[in-house]
Amino acid sequence: MIINKEILQIGNPILRKIATEISDIDNPQIQTLIDDLILITKKNYGVGIAAPQIGKSCRLMIIASYPNIRYPDAPLMQPMAMINPRITNHSEEVVEAMEGCLSVKQKRGRVTRYRDITVEYLTRNGDYQRKEYNNFVARIIQHELDHLNGILFVDHVQDELINSEV
């Protein structure tokens, strides 16, 4: 278990790489990585994390929304792994809201995202999923998918970043 693994911070070149697809979901290293990412997310009061944030440049992200100190109004959901995710459809409607990132400590900024998205991905068991997500969870998915494409939320911020305690 790598629960004490450091989360890479802005400036690390791995965060700017396009992550590679995962072909062997059953590989024990991938399954362990999923478990470790879930633990790291909870330990750091995150609502999601992508594998590149801990130095693993593969197309894996965890979505783990729950109310916490960073996002007190977040909806509660069980953590889930999305492997090789891609957005296949989105609403025309966009929503602007504050975002932060575990790789950009104590900074937040306003980011515009699609309100509704349809995502295709594989589960940790290799099952194909095609689901629609809305509002806050759609925002998390778009944020984490950006990490898989070498993009950080600061690239989307229209105004200045603000300092944040959490």
Side-chain angles (χ1 to χ4, degrees):
M1 194 176 328
I2 58 167
I3 191 64
N4 292 324
K5 182 83 173 176
E6 282 290 314
I7 296 172
L8 301 182
Q9 294 301 302
I10 190 169
N12 188 302
I14 292 173
L15 295 174
R16 294 301 188 171
K17 287 179 60 176
I18 296 176
T20 58
E21 290 219 350
I22 295 172
S23 57
D24 184 9
I25 293 169
D26 296 326
N27 181 322
Q29 290 180 333
I30 295 298
Q31 293 298 315
T32 298
L33 179 59
I34 291 168
D35 293 334
D36 289 344
L37 285 168
I38 290 170
L39 291 173
I40 291 166
T41 301
K42 287 182 180 178
K43 176 184 173 196
N44 290 280
Y45 303 106
V47 292
I49 194 166
Q53 290 180 270
I54 63 164
K56 305 294 183 189
S57 189
C58 62
R59 298 191 77 76
L60 165 63
M61 60 192 205
I62 303 297
I63 307 302
S65 180
Y66 69 101
N68 65 64
I69 192 168
R70 293 180 73 229
Y71 298 101
D73 299 322
L76 180 62
M77 65 180 285
Q78 288 297 312
M80 68 172 174
M82 290 184 159
I83 299 168
N84 301 331
R86 66 186 192 97
I87 295 173
T88 58
N89 199 8
H90 60 78
S91 62
E92 292 297 318
E93 185 177 353
V94 294
V95 179
E96 186 179 274
M98 295 299 284
E99 285 187 24
C101 181
L102 296 174
S103 290
V104 186
K105 285 187 178 174
Q106 297 182 325
K107 297 287 186 186
R108 296 177 74 73
R110 288 191 121 0
V111 176
T112 301
R113 303 268 187 199
Y114 297 113
R115 192 193 72 184
D116 308 301
I117 59 173
T118 302
V119 185
E120 291 181 351
Y121 60 96
L122 298 173
T123 68
R124 74 178 304 163
N125 298 322
D127 297 326
Y128 169 83
Q129 299 287 310
R130 184 175 195 273
K131 291 187 176 181
E132 184 175 310
Y133 294 93
N134 316 95
N135 303 313
F136 188 71
V137 175
R139 176 173 295 278
I140 299 168
I141 293 168
Q142 291 170 83
H143 177 109
E144 300 309 334
L145 191 54
D146 274 354
H147 278 297
L148 302 183
N149 293 322
I151 300 167
L152 297 173
F153 90 98
V154 297
D155 301 332
H156 296 295
V157 173
Q158 303 284 325
D159 302 320
E160 287 185 39
L161 290 173
I162 61 168
N163 290 326
S164 171
E165 292 297 315
V166 290

